[in-house]
Amino acid sequence: MKSECKKFSKRLFPLTAATLTISFWLCVSFASTPSQFAFLTIAVPSPEIPLPLQLVLACGWQLQAAKEGIGYPWWTFGGFGVTFVTDEEHVDDLKKLLLRIWEQTDWDPLVVRHARSLASQQIRAWKREPMEWLKWQARLIALGDHPSNLDPEQPSRVRLDDISSVLRRLSRHDLPLLHYDFANQFGSFNALPKISPVIRSKFHHTLRLPSSQRVHGLWWMLTKGDPAIAMVVGELIGGGTGASWYQLLRGEKPIAYHAVSQVQWTPFGSELTLYMATTPENLKLARQREQQLMVNLRQGKVDGLEFERARKLAELRLKQITSDPVNLSRIMAIWLMSGNSLNEWRSLPERLSSLSLTDFLSFCRSLPPAAEIVALP
């Protein structure tokens, strides 16, 4: 058992000796029931914090809290944070440690150095996944930022003064911490002041991806309104091989190697993406298919059977989210950070089951224009 856990730890957490020790502890502890674990998530709105600095901050929090819990840093459009896993017996210790870290505005230079390295690794990991890479390009452009912030060398340019300045600003507010456990479900959450920047909803950007022989395209939009309906839209477009986006690109005559749609909740609304990978000669046709799909949605060309299939898939998707406590903690923090309430979250299953086709079509008619990001080989 011990040797297997060490192999598991080295494979998943190769970063530090402290992380290795904690991963071994988690591996042994999972022999117990899952209800003995708790999940604490720090969630911070980020429109005014440059992406490289967000990356360094989250990685730094992960490193500094490694003594009491395993941290999973995350970043999304408009927010970032870390979700920590710990034994129920150590929750109070971890809370106290996180509060000290939150109030500490001057970091150890060695922590900063390691955090910069982890931040650069994260950018390189995104770059290896074309869909994630294009999505981050779209997010930066939508906020008026420059895609050069996705250069893996950018985190190394984050200065100690930059970190201290942001930490001082954040520490003026209570620690935005969400506590989740199997016994008491979700605890309170001290949301930081919500920032509502101007978001560009339509743009076109082309970049080079020399490591690929295919063209990668992503159509991106941010939808407002009912998040339950946004989930159903995502399943209608991209929920499996029977979905609209897949059928348009991978139907009788395939024109794409991959056709994927995704909806994610963010502090600003529901992020909808359409991704495809095709040959350069089929790019024009793929663009036409995307435009066709958007026109069909806005004109309400959706029949009852398609809608019902997508609604049921959205219900299954919600059950999938709630079955993964780490993912659920992160998503719940984003949900609360956006201004939604715990009661609204609890009512989601009922909202999905009672959703009408009329409400769905009304939502589709209000969809914004899609931005386009293309990566050429």
Side-chain angles (χ1 to χ4, degrees), residues 1-3 5-6 9 13 19-29 70:
M1 173 68 175
K2 189 173 181 180
S3 62
C5 285
K6 285 187 176 179
S9 300
F13 306 102
T19 307
L20 181 62
T21 302
I22 293 170
S23 59
F24 172 70
W25 160 80
L26 184 62
C27 187
V28 173
S29 299
I70 295 177

Side-chain angles (χ1 to χ4, degrees), residues 172-191:
R172 298 188 190 117
H173 305 279
D174 292 334
L175 172 65
L177 187 68
L178 177 67
H179 178 195
Y180 170 75
D181 61 40
F182 291 87
N184 301 314
Q185 298 299 308
F186 293 103
S188 61
F189 178 69
N190 299 315

Side-chain angles (χ1 to χ4, degrees), residues 137-351:
Q137 299 279 339
R139 289 167 171 173
L140 290 182
I141 294 173
L143 285 173
D145 208 340
H146 199 278
S148 63
N149 273 333
L150 284 169
D151 181 351
E153 299 302 318
Q154 284 288 3
S156 65
R157 302 185 181 107
V158 173
R159 302 176 304 166
L160 284 169
D161 288 346
D162 298 330
I163 296 173
S164 295
S165 176
V166 172
L167 291 176
R168 281 194 294 270
R169 190 167 75 242
L170 293 177
S171 64
R172 298 188 190 117
H173 305 279
D174 292 334
L175 172 65
L177 187 68
L178 177 67
H179 178 195
Y180 170 75
D181 61 40
F182 291 87
N184 301 314
Q185 298 299 308
F186 293 103
S188 61
F189 178 69
N190 299 315
L192 269 64
K194 188 178 176 183
I195 303 168
S196 300
V198 175
I199 298 173
R200 297 174 62 188
S201 60
K202 187 176 182 180
F203 49 85
H204 173 85
H205 180 63
T206 302
L207 59 124
R208 291 285 174 180
L209 200 61
S211 59
S212 175
Q213 295 180 344
R214 302 170 185 170
V215 175
H216 300 270
L218 182 124
W219 288 270
W220 181 96
M221 67 181 74
L222 187 73
T223 69
K224 302 292 186 180
D226 195 323
I229 301 181
M231 285 184 69
V232 179
V233 172
E235 298 299 335
L236 177 83
I237 296 174
T241 57
S244 305
W245 185 232
Y246 185 93
Q247 288 297 317
L248 282 171
L249 297 183
R250 298 279 292 168
E252 296 178 2
K253 184 181 178 182
I255 64 170
Y257 294 91
H258 301 286
V260 182
S261 175
Q262 189 179 73
V263 169
Q264 290 183 307
W265 290 318
T266 81
F268 301 145
S270 300
E271 180 186 47
L272 174 62
T273 55
L274 301 173
Y275 166 77
M276 65 83 199
T278 187
T279 58
E281 57 268 22
N282 282 328
L283 175 61
K284 182 178 180 179
L285 183 55
R287 281 173 166 162
Q288 293 172 350
R289 298 287 173 86
E290 179 271 333
Q291 293 169 1
Q292 175 189 337
L293 176 59
M294 289 294 102
V295 169
N296 289 346
L297 277 177
R298 292 192 185 93
Q299 292 180 351
K301 294 181 180 179
V302 178
D303 63 40
L305 290 177
E306 286 181 302
F307 164 73
E308 189 60 24
R309 169 189 168 278
R311 189 189 62 77
K312 289 181 178 178
L313 284 174
E315 289 179 320
L316 290 174
R317 183 76 64 188
L318 183 59
K319 291 179 180 178
Q320 182 184 41
I321 290 171
T322 57
S323 68
D324 180 349
V326 174
N327 189 38
L328 175 61
S329 299
R330 174 183 61 84
I331 289 177
M332 269 305 307
I334 294 170
W335 177 269
L336 296 172
M337 188 164 43
S338 67
N340 295 313
S341 68
L342 282 173
N343 287 334
E344 287 174 312
W345 173 265
R346 296 187 184 104
S347 67
L348 263 180
E350 181 182 352
R351 174 60 178 153

Side-chain angles (χ1 to χ4, degrees), residues 105-121:
T105 59
D106 295 314
W107 282 6
D108 186 321
L110 291 178
V111 171
V112 174
R113 181 179 179 181
H114 196 174
R116 287 169 178 158
S117 176
L118 294 179
S120 296
Q121 290 178 34

